[in-house]
Amino acid sequence: MEAKKKWDLLSIASIPLTMTLANSMLIPILPAMQKALGISAFRASLIITVYAAVAILFIPLAGYLSDRFSRKAVILPGLILVSAAGVGAGLAALWANHPYGLIIVARLVQGLGSAGCFPVVIPLVGDLFKKKEDVSSGLGVVETSNTFGKVLSPILGASLAIWAWYIPFFAIPLFSMISFVLVLLLVKSPSKERETADTGLRTFLKTTGSLLRSKGKWLYGIFAIGGICMFVIFGSLFYLSETLEDRGLNSIIKGLVLAVPLACLCLTSYLSGKWIGENKVVMKWSCFTGLVVAAASLYILGWLQWSHTWWMVAMLGVSSTGIGAALPSLDALITEGIEKEQRGTVTSLYSSMRFIGVAAGPPASALLMDRSMVLLFTIIASTALASAVITLITIRPGAKSRPNGSRSGAGRRSPAR
């Protein structure tokens, strides 16, 4: 990796860490919010869901703007919005008589800000490096930062909530502004190598439509797999958080237990990003194998119905390991298979699908867990298995390098035939 760009990469990696903390840090304190606000588990889950739901709507716009102008011009205002909304949610919880509605509004604004942050990070990494191996490694670092945020989130959220359940809201602006300063001062926007005069909305829609028609099969597959991965992670985490609360674990211990499967996700994402390099065949089978492992462990967890906490955490750790093997491959396939000029738009659509999974996981888990653990994990496992099947069908690596070192056009530009 280019040594002079390591600070750029570390600064960029702070963004997914911050965005993950802004959402996942609230998962371990949802039960406390239920009691303090007098709401149901489903309404508490909406505090997570609305953040992701509004981002889904605005992520494509953020991708378009980042392609037309610059990545930093979209990321920096997004971080300011995330910070302001965090302060608003905290003040509503502190001063309002009925704060739930105001917290939901603040979370909507926060989701709007997040739409311009993490989704733009993936194409920015693709812009930053010239070598595909460096791009894969950089995306592995970004995905690791994202998953490390998930590891840190339950511990940090539970620790801050010892003072009061709304303190994590005030922590979000602190992390966001640290990212703001790092990106502002240390990230150098790559120089534009193309003319940008004809990038109006009509041209944007035309070129995006043409791209989706020509590469839609494998792109739609990756979109679906990314959304399912997030659905599996957040649905499982919500169930585990509620279960640990019912078993009377104190805040710190609960946060540490929640961090175990997420630590598996983080470590595997890092190792997978290092391992896959620029080999698209390895990317496909890393993704497929990880998803099969995730599905198998979730089926076992649901069907055996062992109630031991250690067993539940172990199986969710195995599931998270499988997801961790898949995510860097998805990031690399979609980044390396799309031209730089359209990378922001396409990766933003991919990020929208991931946010759909984030939004759907907690409320789906809240509704299903009231019926049975078997039903909950059978559905979650089946979605993971479906994503493995989608991987087999839609991701078809192009031709490998010829003996003389040259590549066919399909092998160089697209992960699918």
Side-chain angles (χ1 to χ4, degrees):
M1 183 176 290
E2 300 171 57
K4 63 181 181 180
K5 293 184 178 179
K6 286 187 177 180
W7 281 109
D8 299 67
L9 180 60
L10 291 175
S11 300
I12 293 168
S14 72
I15 299 169
L17 173 64
T18 298
M19 294 304 101
T20 300
L21 289 174
N23 207 31
S24 299
M25 192 164 56
L26 303 181
I27 290 177
I29 62 173
L30 288 178
M33 289 186 185
Q34 290 176 234
K35 295 175 183 177
L37 300 175
I39 56 177
S40 65
F42 178 77
R43 292 185 72 194
S45 73
L46 294 181
I47 295 174
I48 301 294
T49 296
V50 296
Y51 172 89
V54 72
I56 294 166
L57 300 176
F58 288 97
I59 282 173
L61 176 61
Y64 164 63
L65 292 175
S66 78
D67 278 341
R68 184 169 185 182
F69 301 106
S70 75
R71 313 299 187 201
K72 285 177 67 172
V74 176
I75 289 172
L76 294 176
L79 287 169
I80 292 174
L81 270 182
V82 171
S83 299
V87 173
L91 293 177
L94 186 61
W95 290 337
N97 292 327
H98 303 286
Y100 178 75
L102 294 174
I103 290 173
I104 291 294
V105 171
R107 292 287 288 167
L108 286 168
V109 175
Q110 207 161 53
L112 175 61
S114 73
C117 296
F118 178 57
V120 182
V121 164
I122 296 176
L124 181 53
V125 173
D127 297 346
L128 198 62
F129 298 103
K130 296 179 180 178
K131 296 180 181 179
K132 290 184 178 180
E133 186 174 353
D134 286 348
V135 172
S136 295
S137 180
L139 290 170
V141 172
V142 166
E143 199 63 66
T144 300
S145 177
N146 183 22
T147 54
F148 178 69
K150 291 181 174 65
V151 176
L152 184 62
S153 291
I155 301 171
L156 187 60
S159 300
L160 292 173
I162 291 175
W163 287 304
W165 64 268
Y166 50 78
I167 295 297
F169 287 131
F170 289 110
I172 294 171
L174 174 63
F175 297 118
S176 297
M177 293 315 298
I178 290 173
S179 286
F180 180 91
V181 172
L182 289 174
V183 173
L184 179 66
L185 298 181
L186 299 178
V187 177
K188 303 170 187 67
S189 296
S191 60
K192 291 184 180 264
E193 301 174 354
R194 61 188 175 89
E195 294 296 326
T196 58
D198 190 22
T199 54
L201 184 59
R202 180 176 297 179
T203 301
F204 161 71
L205 294 175
K206 182 179 179 180
T207 55
T208 301
S210 176
L211 176 70
L212 293 176
R213 282 192 298 272
S214 64
K215 300 185 177 183
K217 183 177 179 180
W218 68 268
L219 282 177
Y220 294 144
I222 290 179
F223 292 168
I225 297 163
I228 290 171
C229 286
M230 293 299 106
F231 174 81
V232 170
I233 292 170
F234 278 81
S236 300
L237 278 181
F238 183 85
Y239 174 82
L240 183 58
S241 177
E242 293 290 318
T243 301
L244 295 177
E245 183 74 14
D246 292 340
R247 295 182 182 186
L249 273 69
N250 67 48
S251 296
I252 299 297
I253 299 300
K254 178 182 173 183
L256 290 171
V257 173
L258 280 169
V260 171
L262 293 170
C264 296
L265 180 72
C266 179
L267 178 61
T268 311
S269 291
Y270 176 75
L271 295 176
S272 178
K274 290 283 188 182
W275 178 58
I276 59 176
E278 59 177 292
N279 191 323
K280 294 182 175 66
V281 175
V282 172
M283 293 176 193
K284 171 178 178 172
W285 291 108
S286 176
C287 185
F288 173 78
T289 303
L291 293 169
V292 169
V293 168
S297 61
L298 292 169
Y299 276 127
I300 292 170
L301 179 59
W303 291 347
L304 288 186
Q305 297 187 66
W306 288 1
S307 59
H308 305 293
T309 299
W310 68 266
W311 169 253
M312 185 182 304
V313 173
M315 285 296 98
L316 291 180
V318 174
S319 171
S320 297
T321 297
I323 299 295
L327 290 177
S329 295
L330 296 174
D331 293 348
L333 284 167
I334 203 168
T335 302
E336 295 176 17
I338 300 297
E339 299 288 350
K340 181 177 178 180
E341 291 81 359
Q342 294 174 306
R343 196 173 283 155
T345 299
V346 175
T347 55
S348 71
L349 295 174
Y350 167 61
S351 295
S352 288
M353 287 302 301
R354 286 180 56 149
F355 270 83
I356 288 174
V358 173
S365 185
L367 294 173
L368 291 171
M369 63 189 288
D370 289 336
R371 301 191 177 185
S372 74
M373 179 179 175
V374 177
L375 179 62
L376 170 63
F377 283 104
T378 296
I379 290 177
I380 292 178
S382 296
T383 60
L385 184 60
S387 66
V389 174
I390 293 171
T391 301
L392 277 181
I393 295 173
T394 63
I395 300 176
R396 300 173 61 84
K400 295 182 180 180
S401 298
R402 295 171 181 170
N404 65 4
S406 64
R407 291 176 184 263
S408 68
R412 181 172 61 253
R413 296 310 314 165
S414 173
R417 285 194 181 102

